[in-house]
mmCIF file of all heavy atoms in Angstrom:
data_model
loop_
_atom_site.group_PDB
_atom_site.id
_atom_site.type_symbol
_atom_site.label_atom_id
_atom_site.label_comp_id
_atom_site.label_asym_id
_atom_site.label_seq_id
_atom_site.Cartn_x
_atom_site.Cartn_y
_atom_site.Cartn_z
ATOM 1 N N VAL A 280 40.431 128.740 87.758
ATOM 2 C CA VAL A 280 40.166 129.698 86.689
ATOM 3 C C VAL A 280 38.748 129.527 86.162
ATOM 4 O O VAL A 280 37.982 130.499 86.050
ATOM 5 C CB VAL A 280 41.183 129.534 85.539
ATOM 6 C CG1 VAL A 280 40.818 130.451 84.375
ATOM 7 C CG2 VAL A 280 42.597 129.829 86.025
ATOM 8 N N ILE A 295 38.698 124.815 80.934
ATOM 9 C CA ILE A 295 40.026 125.321 80.627
ATOM 10 C C ILE A 295 40.927 124.139 80.303
ATOM 11 O O ILE A 295 41.057 123.204 81.105
ATOM 12 C CB ILE A 295 40.633 126.097 81.819
ATOM 13 C CG1 ILE A 295 39.673 127.200 82.293
ATOM 14 C CG2 ILE A 295 42.000 126.673 81.452
ATOM 15 C CD1 ILE A 295 39.424 128.282 81.284
ATOM 16 N N ALA A 296 41.537 124.154 79.133
ATOM 17 C CA ALA A 296 42.462 123.092 78.714
ATOM 18 C C ALA A 296 43.879 123.637 78.692
ATOM 19 O O ALA A 296 44.134 124.713 78.148
ATOM 20 C CB ALA A 296 42.082 122.578 77.325
ATOM 21 N N LEU A 297 44.802 122.904 79.318
ATOM 22 C CA LEU A 297 46.204 123.306 79.391
ATOM 23 C C LEU A 297 47.088 122.169 78.906
ATOM 24 O O LEU A 297 46.732 120.998 79.002
ATOM 25 C CB LEU A 297 46.600 123.646 80.837
ATOM 26 C CG LEU A 297 45.777 124.694 81.579
ATOM 27 C CD1 LEU A 297 46.201 124.741 83.046
ATOM 28 C CD2 LEU A 297 45.934 126.065 80.934
ATOM 29 N N SER A 298 48.267 122.524 78.408
ATOM 30 C CA SER A 298 49.300 121.518 78.165
ATOM 31 C C SER A 298 50.656 122.114 78.488
ATOM 32 O O SER A 298 50.848 123.337 78.414
ATOM 33 C CB SER A 298 49.262 121.020 76.715
ATOM 34 O OG SER A 298 49.615 122.048 75.807
ATOM 35 N N TYR A 299 51.584 121.254 78.885
ATOM 36 C CA TYR A 299 52.926 121.679 79.301
ATOM 37 C C TYR A 299 53.973 120.773 78.672
ATOM 38 O O TYR A 299 53.695 119.626 78.311
ATOM 39 C CB TYR A 299 53.073 121.612 80.826
ATOM 40 C CG TYR A 299 52.304 122.675 81.575
ATOM 41 C CD1 TYR A 299 50.956 122.502 81.876
ATOM 42 C CD2 TYR A 299 52.936 123.854 81.995
ATOM 43 C CE1 TYR A 299 50.248 123.471 82.565
ATOM 44 C CE2 TYR A 299 52.227 124.825 82.694
ATOM 45 C CZ TYR A 299 50.886 124.630 82.964
ATOM 46 O OH TYR A 299 50.179 125.603 83.644
ATOM 47 N N ARG A 305 56.110 127.957 81.016
ATOM 48 C CA ARG A 305 54.889 128.457 80.386
ATOM 49 C C ARG A 305 54.169 127.336 79.654
ATOM 50 O O ARG A 305 54.786 126.532 78.957
ATOM 51 C CB ARG A 305 55.213 129.599 79.423
ATOM 52 C CG ARG A 305 55.861 130.787 80.126
ATOM 53 C CD ARG A 305 56.131 131.946 79.186
ATOM 54 N NE ARG A 305 56.863 133.006 79.864
ATOM 55 C CZ ARG A 305 56.319 133.906 80.668
ATOM 56 N NH1 ARG A 305 55.009 133.879 80.880
ATOM 57 N NH2 ARG A 305 57.063 134.823 81.256
ATOM 58 N N PRO A 306 52.841 127.282 79.780
ATOM 59 C CA PRO A 306 52.098 126.223 79.112
ATOM 60 C C PRO A 306 52.216 126.316 77.595
ATOM 61 O O PRO A 306 52.361 127.410 77.037
ATOM 62 C CB PRO A 306 50.650 126.450 79.571
ATOM 63 C CG PRO A 306 50.596 127.846 80.058
ATOM 64 C CD PRO A 306 51.961 128.176 80.573
ATOM 65 N N THR A 307 52.180 125.182 76.945
ATOM 66 C CA THR A 307 52.221 125.159 75.487
ATOM 67 C C THR A 307 50.833 125.369 74.890
ATOM 68 O O THR A 307 50.701 125.577 73.687
ATOM 69 C CB THR A 307 52.788 123.820 74.984
ATOM 70 O OG1 THR A 307 52.005 122.745 75.528
ATOM 71 C CG2 THR A 307 54.234 123.650 75.439
ATOM 72 N N MET A 308 49.806 125.317 75.747
ATOM 73 C CA MET A 308 48.433 125.575 75.298
ATOM 74 C C MET A 308 47.597 126.093 76.448
ATOM 75 O O MET A 308 47.664 125.582 77.566
ATOM 76 C CB MET A 308 47.797 124.290 74.742
ATOM 77 C CG MET A 308 46.338 124.459 74.321
ATOM 78 S SD MET A 308 45.552 122.902 73.832
ATOM 79 C CE MET A 308 45.360 122.077 75.419
ATOM 80 N N ILE A 309 46.807 127.135 76.178
ATOM 81 C CA ILE A 309 45.720 127.567 77.058
ATOM 82 C C ILE A 309 44.497 127.713 76.159
ATOM 83 O O ILE A 309 44.483 128.546 75.249
ATOM 84 C CB ILE A 309 46.006 128.911 77.755
ATOM 85 C CG1 ILE A 309 47.296 128.846 78.567
ATOM 86 C CG2 ILE A 309 44.821 129.303 78.649
ATOM 87 C CD1 ILE A 309 47.709 130.192 79.167
ATOM 88 N N GLN A 310 43.500 126.878 76.373
ATOM 89 C CA GLN A 310 42.324 126.867 75.495
ATOM 90 C C GLN A 310 41.059 126.954 76.338
ATOM 91 O O GLN A 310 40.948 126.294 77.376
ATOM 92 C CB GLN A 310 42.305 125.589 74.653
ATOM 93 C CG GLN A 310 41.235 125.557 73.588
ATOM 94 C CD GLN A 310 41.493 126.552 72.471
ATOM 95 O OE1 GLN A 310 42.614 126.694 72.022
ATOM 96 N NE2 GLN A 310 40.452 127.248 72.029
ATOM 97 N N VAL A 311 40.108 127.760 75.893
ATOM 98 C CA VAL A 311 38.860 127.967 76.621
ATOM 99 C C VAL A 311 37.683 127.428 75.811
ATOM 100 O O VAL A 311 37.569 127.700 74.613
ATOM 101 C CB VAL A 311 38.628 129.466 76.915
ATOM 102 C CG1 VAL A 311 37.344 129.662 77.713
ATOM 103 C CG2 VAL A 311 39.811 130.060 77.655
ATOM 104 N N GLN A 325 39.223 134.519 76.764
ATOM 105 C CA GLN A 325 40.580 133.982 76.817
ATOM 106 C C GLN A 325 41.588 135.073 77.154
ATOM 107 O O GLN A 325 42.493 134.860 77.963
ATOM 108 C CB GLN A 325 40.950 133.314 75.488
ATOM 109 C CG GLN A 325 42.372 132.802 75.431
ATOM 110 C CD GLN A 325 42.484 131.386 74.907
ATOM 111 O OE1 GLN A 325 41.486 130.732 74.590
ATOM 112 N NE2 GLN A 325 43.692 130.881 74.819
ATOM 113 N N ILE A 328 41.354 135.921 80.803
ATOM 114 C CA ILE A 328 41.984 134.871 81.605
ATOM 115 C C ILE A 328 43.502 135.040 81.603
ATOM 116 O O ILE A 328 44.147 135.004 82.664
ATOM 117 C CB ILE A 328 41.588 133.478 81.066
ATOM 118 C CG1 ILE A 328 40.126 133.181 81.417
ATOM 119 C CG2 ILE A 328 42.501 132.392 81.639
ATOM 120 C CD1 ILE A 328 39.570 131.941 80.754
ATOM 121 N N GLU A 329 44.086 135.227 80.443
ATOM 122 C CA GLU A 329 45.541 135.337 80.343
ATOM 123 C C GLU A 329 46.068 136.596 81.017
ATOM 124 O O GLU A 329 47.214 136.641 81.457
ATOM 125 C CB GLU A 329 45.951 135.283 78.871
ATOM 126 C CG GLU A 329 45.702 133.909 78.247
ATOM 127 C CD GLU A 329 46.033 133.858 76.772
ATOM 128 O OE1 GLU A 329 46.507 134.875 76.227
ATOM 129 O OE2 GLU A 329 45.831 132.796 76.146
ATOM 130 N N PHE A 332 45.385 135.584 85.219
ATOM 131 C CA PHE A 332 45.855 134.332 85.818
ATOM 132 C C PHE A 332 47.232 133.974 85.269
ATOM 133 O O PHE A 332 47.503 134.166 84.085
ATOM 134 C CB PHE A 332 44.867 133.197 85.550
ATOM 135 C CG PHE A 332 43.508 133.402 86.155
ATOM 136 C CD1 PHE A 332 42.483 134.007 85.424
ATOM 137 C CD2 PHE A 332 43.231 132.993 87.448
ATOM 138 C CE1 PHE A 332 41.228 134.206 85.963
ATOM 139 C CE2 PHE A 332 41.979 133.190 88.011
ATOM 140 C CZ PHE A 332 40.973 133.801 87.266
ATOM 141 N N ASP A 333 48.073 133.435 86.161
ATOM 142 C CA ASP A 333 49.444 133.071 85.794
ATOM 143 C C ASP A 333 49.595 131.553 85.878
ATOM 144 O O ASP A 333 49.522 130.975 86.965
ATOM 145 C CB ASP A 333 50.425 133.761 86.754
ATOM 146 C CG ASP A 333 51.871 133.661 86.290
ATOM 147 O OD1 ASP A 333 52.192 132.708 85.555
ATOM 148 O OD2 ASP A 333 52.674 134.531 86.671
ATOM 149 N N PHE A 334 49.817 130.904 84.743
ATOM 150 C CA PHE A 334 49.819 129.448 84.667
ATOM 151 C C PHE A 334 51.204 128.829 84.819
ATOM 152 O O PHE A 334 51.372 127.641 84.563
ATOM 153 C CB PHE A 334 49.202 129.005 83.336
ATOM 154 C CG PHE A 334 47.735 129.313 83.218
ATOM 155 C CD1 PHE A 334 47.305 130.543 82.726
ATOM 156 C CD2 PHE A 334 46.780 128.389 83.594
ATOM 157 C CE1 PHE A 334 45.955 130.838 82.608
ATOM 158 C CE2 PHE A 334 45.424 128.667 83.479
ATOM 159 C CZ PHE A 334 45.008 129.902 82.984
#
Side-chain angles (χ1 to χ4, degrees):
V280 175
I295 306 296
L297 305 172
S298 66
Y299 288 84
R305 299 182 185 280
T307 56
M308 177 186 72
I309 303 174
Q310 188 69 42
V311 182
Q325 177 132 359
I328 287 171
E329 292 177 3
F332 297 92
D333 191 334
F334 293 88

